[in-house]
Amino acid sequence: CTVTLNDHARFGFIAEDMANVVPEAVELDQHRLPSGIDVSQTAALAFAGVGALLRRIEELEHTIEQMREVSL
């Protein structure tokens, strides 16, 4: 989501949308409705996601290298 604040574009998440994807990172109000996002949770999840992607890239690179060796 993009919001303009003091003539600067700001980016963020919508708590309702985040609740559908990562409910653990969403803070709820007294009515149990999404009211905010725990940024530390989203940062940790993003970091873990990057790590998983890097491991997958390494696996794919290894597979490609093995395929190249077989085709030689």
Side-chain angles (χ1 to χ4, degrees), residues 3-72:
V3 176
T4 302
L5 181 64
N6 297 329
D7 295 328
H8 297 288
R10 303 287 184 214
F11 301 92
F13 298 103
I14 297 171
E16 290 83 356
D17 293 341
M18 184 71 78
N20 294 324
V21 180
V22 188
E24 299 86 358
V26 176
E27 298 169 353
L28 304 176
D29 65 14
Q30 66 272 19
H31 304 290
R32 310 279 304 149
L33 297 173
S35 64
I37 297 172
D38 183 344
V39 177
S40 66
Q41 289 288 326
T42 57
L45 289 167
F47 186 77
V50 168
L53 290 171
L54 290 173
R55 286 188 297 279
R56 183 65 178 139
I57 289 169
E58 289 174 356
E59 291 172 5
L60 292 170
E61 288 175 336
H62 180 70
T63 300
I64 290 169
E65 187 59 35
Q66 287 179 327
M67 292 173 74
R68 284 184 179 149
E69 291 172 3
V70 169
S71 67
L72 292 179

